Amino acid sequence: RDQCAGRRMAEVMSLAITIFMAAPVIAPAIGQAILAFFPWRGIFVALLAYGLALAVWAFFRAPETLRPGEAKPLSTRSIMGAYGEFISNRVSLGYTLASALCFGALFGYVSSSEQIFLETFELGPRFPLAFAAVAASLGAATLINSRLVGKYGMRRLLQGALLALIAANFVHLAAAALGANSLMIFISFMSISFFCLGLIGPNASAIAMEPMGHMAGAAGAANGFAGTTIAGILGGVVGAFYDGTTVPLIAGFLMLGTSALGVVLWVERGALFKGGPIR
């Protein structure tokens, strides 16, 4: 946020999340390669070496992004004041909560997907393939978002994706309640939902951070902590309702998506798809 704002920040966030999504694909292969030559303790040695290398690189290669004179004193009063300002800002708080609600659904999927694929659909060893197929749509959406946000804007993409998320899960829940919920139907609708989340995530973060350019570090910490903590709790609740079917998960997506829309309507004072500048 110190170096870019608005739609440009949403583009950067989209690319960062796309790279982030590659981690679950690359990391297991690296771990397996380490275990092929070393005992399990080699994993922790590799983490230590990687951490040290990254620290050295950051020290010499990552410059300070704050402009001269903008640094804040490291004190309890300064930190709490920054967090208070973040919480009191309607846009920052609202879009952080909306993002947290949506990603609570994603965390619910992560916590219950193994049971659904292994017990409900009896996939067995093919579970990782199904999981990857759904997750791939999230990475594709973030990459596409980086190309579209400059033309259509953060609000339009986010709010449109939020409405699509609600509509898709309403239809999915109706199909599941009627018994028409095969593996392909489940993967198809979950892929649509994840695609919507890929449009919601980077745009919500960019909008939440837009008014916080003067205190981007503290605001980024508040945004990340609140979003992840709330999403983790909600995801655990959604996962706890697993009953051998896909209905609780789909209902969780629908309820959390609808709640996120309510928060966005509160932030925007009832008006969606506005093209004006961020307040």
PDB file of all heavy atoms in Angstrom, residues 192-222:
ATOM      1  N   ILE A 192     -17.172 -22.830  -9.016  1.00  0.00           N
ATOM      2  CA  ILE A 192     -17.777 -21.511  -9.246  1.00  0.00           C
ATOM      3  C   ILE A 192     -17.619 -20.639  -7.998  1.00  0.00           C
ATOM      4  O   ILE A 192     -17.260 -19.461  -8.078  1.00  0.00           O
ATOM      5  CB  ILE A 192     -19.262 -21.649  -9.612  1.00  0.00           C
ATOM      6  CG1 ILE A 192     -19.416 -22.344 -10.967  1.00  0.00           C
ATOM      7  CG2 ILE A 192     -19.950 -20.277  -9.633  1.00  0.00           C
ATOM      8  CD1 ILE A 192     -20.850 -22.693 -11.324  1.00  0.00           C
ATOM      9  N   SER A 193     -17.874 -21.232  -6.828  1.00  0.00           N
ATOM     10  CA  SER A 193     -17.751 -20.495  -5.570  1.00  0.00           C
ATOM     11  C   SER A 193     -16.318 -20.029  -5.349  1.00  0.00           C
ATOM     12  O   SER A 193     -16.079 -18.880  -4.942  1.00  0.00           O
ATOM     13  CB  SER A 193     -18.211 -21.366  -4.402  1.00  0.00           C
ATOM     14  OG  SER A 193     -19.582 -21.666  -4.491  1.00  0.00           O
ATOM     15  N   PHE A 194     -15.362 -20.902  -5.602  1.00  0.00           N
ATOM     16  CA  PHE A 194     -13.956 -20.537  -5.405  1.00  0.00           C
ATOM     17  C   PHE A 194     -13.530 -19.467  -6.409  1.00  0.00           C
ATOM     18  O   PHE A 194     -12.711 -18.604  -6.085  1.00  0.00           O
ATOM     19  CB  PHE A 194     -13.062 -21.774  -5.527  1.00  0.00           C
ATOM     20  CG  PHE A 194     -12.824 -22.462  -4.220  1.00  0.00           C
ATOM     21  CD1 PHE A 194     -13.881 -22.889  -3.434  1.00  0.00           C
ATOM     22  CD2 PHE A 194     -11.533 -22.674  -3.751  1.00  0.00           C
ATOM     23  CE1 PHE A 194     -13.678 -23.514  -2.229  1.00  0.00           C
ATOM     24  CE2 PHE A 194     -11.305 -23.295  -2.539  1.00  0.00           C
ATOM     25  CZ  PHE A 194     -12.376 -23.721  -1.765  1.00  0.00           C
ATOM     26  N   PHE A 195     -14.078 -19.528  -7.609  1.00  0.00           N
ATOM     27  CA  PHE A 195     -13.773 -18.490  -8.595  1.00  0.00           C
ATOM     28  C   PHE A 195     -14.270 -17.138  -8.087  1.00  0.00           C
ATOM     29  O   PHE A 195     -13.576 -16.123  -8.205  1.00  0.00           O
ATOM     30  CB  PHE A 195     -14.417 -18.824  -9.939  1.00  0.00           C
ATOM     31  CG  PHE A 195     -13.982 -17.928 -11.060  1.00  0.00           C
ATOM     32  CD1 PHE A 195     -12.870 -18.248 -11.827  1.00  0.00           C
ATOM     33  CD2 PHE A 195     -14.676 -16.756 -11.351  1.00  0.00           C
ATOM     34  CE1 PHE A 195     -12.454 -17.416 -12.870  1.00  0.00           C
ATOM     35  CE2 PHE A 195     -14.263 -15.917 -12.372  1.00  0.00           C
ATOM     36  CZ  PHE A 195     -13.150 -16.256 -13.133  1.00  0.00           C
ATOM     37  N   CYS A 196     -15.460 -17.125  -7.521  1.00  0.00           N
ATOM     38  CA  CYS A 196     -16.001 -15.893  -6.956  1.00  0.00           C
ATOM     39  C   CYS A 196     -15.128 -15.394  -5.807  1.00  0.00           C
ATOM     40  O   CYS A 196     -14.857 -14.187  -5.697  1.00  0.00           O
ATOM     41  CB  CYS A 196     -17.430 -16.122  -6.455  1.00  0.00           C
ATOM     42  SG  CYS A 196     -18.642 -16.453  -7.757  1.00  0.00           S
ATOM     43  N   LEU A 197     -14.663 -16.307  -4.962  1.00  0.00           N
ATOM     44  CA  LEU A 197     -13.794 -15.913  -3.849  1.00  0.00           C
ATOM     45  C   LEU A 197     -12.480 -15.332  -4.361  1.00  0.00           C
ATOM     46  O   LEU A 197     -11.903 -14.437  -3.737  1.00  0.00           O
ATOM     47  CB  LEU A 197     -13.520 -17.115  -2.945  1.00  0.00           C
ATOM     48  CG  LEU A 197     -14.711 -17.666  -2.158  1.00  0.00           C
ATOM     49  CD1 LEU A 197     -14.314 -18.915  -1.384  1.00  0.00           C
ATOM     50  CD2 LEU A 197     -15.269 -16.615  -1.207  1.00  0.00           C
ATOM     51  N   GLY A 198     -12.008 -15.832  -5.492  1.00  0.00           N
ATOM     52  CA  GLY A 198     -10.790 -15.300  -6.074  1.00  0.00           C
ATOM     53  C   GLY A 198     -10.939 -13.870  -6.569  1.00  0.00           C
ATOM     54  O   GLY A 198      -9.957 -13.130  -6.660  1.00  0.00           O
ATOM     55  N   LEU A 199     -12.170 -13.464  -6.885  1.00  0.00           N
ATOM     56  CA  LEU A 199     -12.439 -12.076  -7.261  1.00  0.00           C
ATOM     57  C   LEU A 199     -12.704 -11.210  -6.031  1.00  0.00           C
ATOM     58  O   LEU A 199     -12.418 -10.019  -6.029  1.00  0.00           O
ATOM     59  CB  LEU A 199     -13.638 -12.004  -8.206  1.00  0.00           C
ATOM     60  CG  LEU A 199     -13.499 -12.710  -9.550  1.00  0.00           C
ATOM     61  CD1 LEU A 199     -14.792 -12.585 -10.352  1.00  0.00           C
ATOM     62  CD2 LEU A 199     -12.338 -12.146 -10.355  1.00  0.00           C
ATOM     63  N   ILE A 200     -13.249 -11.814  -4.998  1.00  0.00           N
ATOM     64  CA  ILE A 200     -13.595 -11.068  -3.786  1.00  0.00           C
ATOM     65  C   ILE A 200     -12.357 -10.730  -2.967  1.00  0.00           C
ATOM     66  O   ILE A 200     -12.183  -9.589  -2.517  1.00  0.00           O
ATOM     67  CB  ILE A 200     -14.597 -11.876  -2.929  1.00  0.00           C
ATOM     68  CG1 ILE A 200     -15.944 -11.977  -3.648  1.00  0.00           C
ATOM     69  CG2 ILE A 200     -14.771 -11.234  -1.550  1.00  0.00           C
ATOM     70  CD1 ILE A 200     -16.906 -12.941  -3.004  1.00  0.00           C
ATOM     71  N   GLY A 201     -11.468 -11.708  -2.746  1.00  0.00           N
ATOM     72  CA  GLY A 201     -10.349 -11.546  -1.835  1.00  0.00           C
ATOM     73  C   GLY A 201      -9.437 -10.355  -2.110  1.00  0.00           C
ATOM     74  O   GLY A 201      -9.309  -9.452  -1.267  1.00  0.00           O
ATOM     75  N   PRO A 202      -8.780 -10.303  -3.264  1.00  0.00           N
ATOM     76  CA  PRO A 202      -7.844  -9.192  -3.512  1.00  0.00           C
ATOM     77  C   PRO A 202      -8.520  -7.837  -3.583  1.00  0.00           C
ATOM     78  O   PRO A 202      -7.959  -6.827  -3.145  1.00  0.00           O
ATOM     79  CB  PRO A 202      -7.194  -9.569  -4.850  1.00  0.00           C
ATOM     80  CG  PRO A 202      -8.125 -10.533  -5.484  1.00  0.00           C
ATOM     81  CD  PRO A 202      -8.768 -11.282  -4.366  1.00  0.00           C
ATOM     82  N   ASN A 203      -9.737  -7.790  -4.114  1.00  0.00           N
ATOM     83  CA  ASN A 203     -10.433  -6.507  -4.207  1.00  0.00           C
ATOM     84  C   ASN A 203     -10.885  -6.012  -2.835  1.00  0.00           C
ATOM     85  O   ASN A 203     -10.814  -4.812  -2.544  1.00  0.00           O
ATOM     86  CB  ASN A 203     -11.633  -6.625  -5.148  1.00  0.00           C
ATOM     87  CG  ASN A 203     -11.216  -6.811  -6.592  1.00  0.00           C
ATOM     88  OD1 ASN A 203     -10.355  -6.103  -7.097  1.00  0.00           O
ATOM     89  ND2 ASN A 203     -11.795  -7.786  -7.267  1.00  0.00           N
ATOM     90  N   ALA A 204     -11.334  -6.921  -1.984  1.00  0.00           N
ATOM     91  CA  ALA A 204     -11.735  -6.526  -0.633  1.00  0.00           C
ATOM     92  C   ALA A 204     -10.543  -5.984   0.149  1.00  0.00           C
ATOM     93  O   ALA A 204     -10.655  -4.971   0.853  1.00  0.00           O
ATOM     94  CB  ALA A 204     -12.359  -7.712   0.097  1.00  0.00           C
ATOM     95  N   SER A 205      -9.409  -6.649   0.029  1.00  0.00           N
ATOM     96  CA  SER A 205      -8.204  -6.178   0.731  1.00  0.00           C
ATOM     97  C   SER A 205      -7.766  -4.811   0.219  1.00  0.00           C
ATOM     98  O   SER A 205      -7.386  -3.929   0.998  1.00  0.00           O
ATOM     99  CB  SER A 205      -7.071  -7.189   0.567  1.00  0.00           C
ATOM    100  OG  SER A 205      -7.389  -8.414   1.203  1.00  0.00           O
ATOM    101  N   ALA A 206      -7.808  -4.632  -1.097  1.00  0.00           N
ATOM    102  CA  ALA A 206      -7.388  -3.355  -1.676  1.00  0.00           C
ATOM    103  C   ALA A 206      -8.317  -2.222  -1.251  1.00  0.00           C
ATOM    104  O   ALA A 206      -7.866  -1.114  -0.926  1.00  0.00           O
ATOM    105  CB  ALA A 206      -7.347  -3.465  -3.201  1.00  0.00           C
ATOM    106  N   ILE A 207      -9.625  -2.475  -1.239  1.00  0.00           N
ATOM    107  CA  ILE A 207     -10.575  -1.440  -0.823  1.00  0.00           C
ATOM    108  C   ILE A 207     -10.397  -1.124   0.659  1.00  0.00           C
ATOM    109  O   ILE A 207     -10.417   0.043   1.066  1.00  0.00           O
ATOM    110  CB  ILE A 207     -12.022  -1.889  -1.106  1.00  0.00           C
ATOM    111  CG1 ILE A 207     -12.262  -2.029  -2.614  1.00  0.00           C
ATOM    112  CG2 ILE A 207     -13.018  -0.878  -0.528  1.00  0.00           C
ATOM    113  CD1 ILE A 207     -13.604  -2.619  -2.971  1.00  0.00           C
ATOM    114  N   ALA A 208     -10.225  -2.164   1.478  1.00  0.00           N
ATOM    115  CA  ALA A 208     -10.053  -1.956   2.923  1.00  0.00           C
ATOM    116  C   ALA A 208      -8.804  -1.138   3.224  1.00  0.00           C
ATOM    117  O   ALA A 208      -8.785  -0.335   4.170  1.00  0.00           O
ATOM    118  CB  ALA A 208      -9.994  -3.300   3.644  1.00  0.00           C
ATOM    119  N   MET A 209      -7.765  -1.318   2.437  1.00  0.00           N
ATOM    120  CA  MET A 209      -6.496  -0.636   2.689  1.00  0.00           C
ATOM    121  C   MET A 209      -6.425   0.747   2.041  1.00  0.00           C
ATOM    122  O   MET A 209      -5.537   1.531   2.364  1.00  0.00           O
ATOM    123  CB  MET A 209      -5.343  -1.495   2.181  1.00  0.00           C
ATOM    124  CG  MET A 209      -5.104  -2.770   2.982  1.00  0.00           C
ATOM    125  SD  MET A 209      -4.574  -2.404   4.663  1.00  0.00           S
ATOM    126  CE  MET A 209      -2.994  -1.638   4.330  1.00  0.00           C
ATOM    127  N   GLU A 210      -7.350   1.050   1.140  1.00  0.00           N
ATOM    128  CA  GLU A 210      -7.275   2.308   0.401  1.00  0.00           C
ATOM    129  C   GLU A 210      -7.232   3.547   1.300  1.00  0.00           C
ATOM    130  O   GLU A 210      -6.428   4.445   1.069  1.00  0.00           O
ATOM    131  CB  GLU A 210      -8.457   2.395  -0.575  1.00  0.00           C
ATOM    132  CG  GLU A 210      -8.456   3.644  -1.448  1.00  0.00           C
ATOM    133  CD  GLU A 210      -7.299   3.680  -2.425  1.00  0.00           C
ATOM    134  OE1 GLU A 210      -6.710   2.612  -2.692  1.00  0.00           O
ATOM    135  OE2 GLU A 210      -6.977   4.768  -2.923  1.00  0.00           O
ATOM    136  N   PRO A 211      -8.053   3.646   2.353  1.00  0.00           N
ATOM    137  CA  PRO A 211      -7.997   4.855   3.190  1.00  0.00           C
ATOM    138  C   PRO A 211      -6.842   4.853   4.182  1.00  0.00           C
ATOM    139  O   PRO A 211      -6.704   5.789   4.958  1.00  0.00           O
ATOM    140  CB  PRO A 211      -9.347   4.816   3.949  1.00  0.00           C
ATOM    141  CG  PRO A 211     -10.154   3.731   3.321  1.00  0.00           C
ATOM    142  CD  PRO A 211      -9.176   2.776   2.734  1.00  0.00           C
ATOM    143  N   MET A 212      -6.009   3.810   4.185  1.00  0.00           N
ATOM    144  CA  MET A 212      -5.017   3.620   5.234  1.00  0.00           C
ATOM    145  C   MET A 212      -3.586   3.828   4.747  1.00  0.00           C
ATOM    146  O   MET A 212      -2.643   3.304   5.338  1.00  0.00           O
ATOM    147  CB  MET A 212      -5.140   2.189   5.804  1.00  0.00           C
ATOM    148  CG  MET A 212      -6.487   1.898   6.446  1.00  0.00           C
ATOM    149  SD  MET A 212      -6.667   2.691   8.042  1.00  0.00           S
ATOM    150  CE  MET A 212      -8.053   3.776   7.712  1.00  0.00           C
ATOM    151  N   GLY A 213      -3.405   4.611   3.692  1.00  0.00           N
ATOM    152  CA  GLY A 213      -2.069   4.791   3.147  1.00  0.00           C
ATOM    153  C   GLY A 213      -1.077   5.388   4.127  1.00  0.00           C
ATOM    154  O   GLY A 213       0.124   5.112   4.057  1.00  0.00           O
ATOM    155  N   HIS A 214      -1.549   6.199   5.063  1.00  0.00           N
ATOM    156  CA  HIS A 214      -0.655   6.854   6.016  1.00  0.00           C
ATOM    157  C   HIS A 214      -0.215   5.930   7.149  1.00  0.00           C
ATOM    158  O   HIS A 214       0.654   6.286   7.933  1.00  0.00           O
ATOM    159  CB  HIS A 214      -1.352   8.082   6.609  1.00  0.00           C
ATOM    160  CG  HIS A 214      -2.632   7.762   7.326  1.00  0.00           C
ATOM    161  ND1 HIS A 214      -3.762   7.327   6.659  1.00  0.00           N
ATOM    162  CD2 HIS A 214      -2.958   7.788   8.636  1.00  0.00           C
ATOM    163  CE1 HIS A 214      -4.731   7.116   7.519  1.00  0.00           C
ATOM    164  NE2 HIS A 214      -4.272   7.385   8.727  1.00  0.00           N
ATOM    165  N   MET A 215      -0.838   4.754   7.258  1.00  0.00           N
ATOM    166  CA  MET A 215      -0.483   3.792   8.313  1.00  0.00           C
ATOM    167  C   MET A 215      -0.681   2.372   7.790  1.00  0.00           C
ATOM    168  O   MET A 215      -1.308   1.525   8.416  1.00  0.00           O
ATOM    169  CB  MET A 215      -1.327   4.011   9.565  1.00  0.00           C
ATOM    170  CG  MET A 215      -2.797   4.296   9.292  1.00  0.00           C
ATOM    171  SD  MET A 215      -3.835   4.253  10.756  1.00  0.00           S
ATOM    172  CE  MET A 215      -4.238   2.513  10.824  1.00  0.00           C
ATOM    173  N   ALA A 216      -0.114   2.129   6.607  1.00  0.00           N
ATOM    174  CA  ALA A 216      -0.373   0.875   5.900  1.00  0.00           C
ATOM    175  C   ALA A 216       0.104  -0.350   6.671  1.00  0.00           C
ATOM    176  O   ALA A 216      -0.526  -1.407   6.625  1.00  0.00           O
ATOM    177  CB  ALA A 216       0.278   0.908   4.524  1.00  0.00           C
ATOM    178  N   GLY A 217       1.231  -0.225   7.394  1.00  0.00           N
ATOM    179  CA  GLY A 217       1.743  -1.386   8.118  1.00  0.00           C
ATOM    180  C   GLY A 217       0.795  -1.854   9.199  1.00  0.00           C
ATOM    181  O   GLY A 217       0.424  -3.034   9.271  1.00  0.00           O
ATOM    182  N   ALA A 218       0.371  -0.928  10.057  1.00  0.00           N
ATOM    183  CA  ALA A 218      -0.558  -1.279  11.135  1.00  0.00           C
ATOM    184  C   ALA A 218      -1.902  -1.725  10.570  1.00  0.00           C
ATOM    185  O   ALA A 218      -2.517  -2.683  11.057  1.00  0.00           O
ATOM    186  CB  ALA A 218      -0.745  -0.093  12.075  1.00  0.00           C
ATOM    187  N   ALA A 219      -2.367  -1.029   9.532  1.00  0.00           N
ATOM    188  CA  ALA A 219      -3.645  -1.387   8.923  1.00  0.00           C
ATOM    189  C   ALA A 219      -3.582  -2.769   8.276  1.00  0.00           C
ATOM    190  O   ALA A 219      -4.520  -3.558   8.372  1.00  0.00           O
ATOM    191  CB  ALA A 219      -4.047  -0.342   7.884  1.00  0.00           C
ATOM    192  N   GLY A 220      -2.450  -3.070   7.621  1.00  0.00           N
ATOM    193  CA  GLY A 220      -2.288  -4.392   7.026  1.00  0.00           C
ATOM    194  C   GLY A 220      -2.290  -5.488   8.083  1.00  0.00           C
ATOM    195  O   GLY A 220      -2.856  -6.565   7.879  1.00  0.00           O
ATOM    196  N   ALA A 221      -1.666  -5.200   9.228  1.00  0.00           N
ATOM    197  CA  ALA A 221      -1.665  -6.175  10.322  1.00  0.00           C
ATOM    198  C   ALA A 221      -3.078  -6.394  10.851  1.00  0.00           C
ATOM    199  O   ALA A 221      -3.500  -7.533  11.091  1.00  0.00           O
ATOM    200  CB  ALA A 221      -0.746  -5.690  11.443  1.00  0.00           C
ATOM    201  N   ALA A 222      -3.825  -5.301  11.040  1.00  0.00           N
ATOM    202  CA  ALA A 222      -5.198  -5.414  11.537  1.00  0.00           C
ATOM    203  C   ALA A 222      -6.077  -6.150  10.547  1.00  0.00           C
ATOM    204  O   ALA A 222      -6.875  -7.019  10.918  1.00  0.00           O
ATOM    205  CB  ALA A 222      -5.763  -4.020  11.814  1.00  0.00           C
TER     206      ALA A 222
END
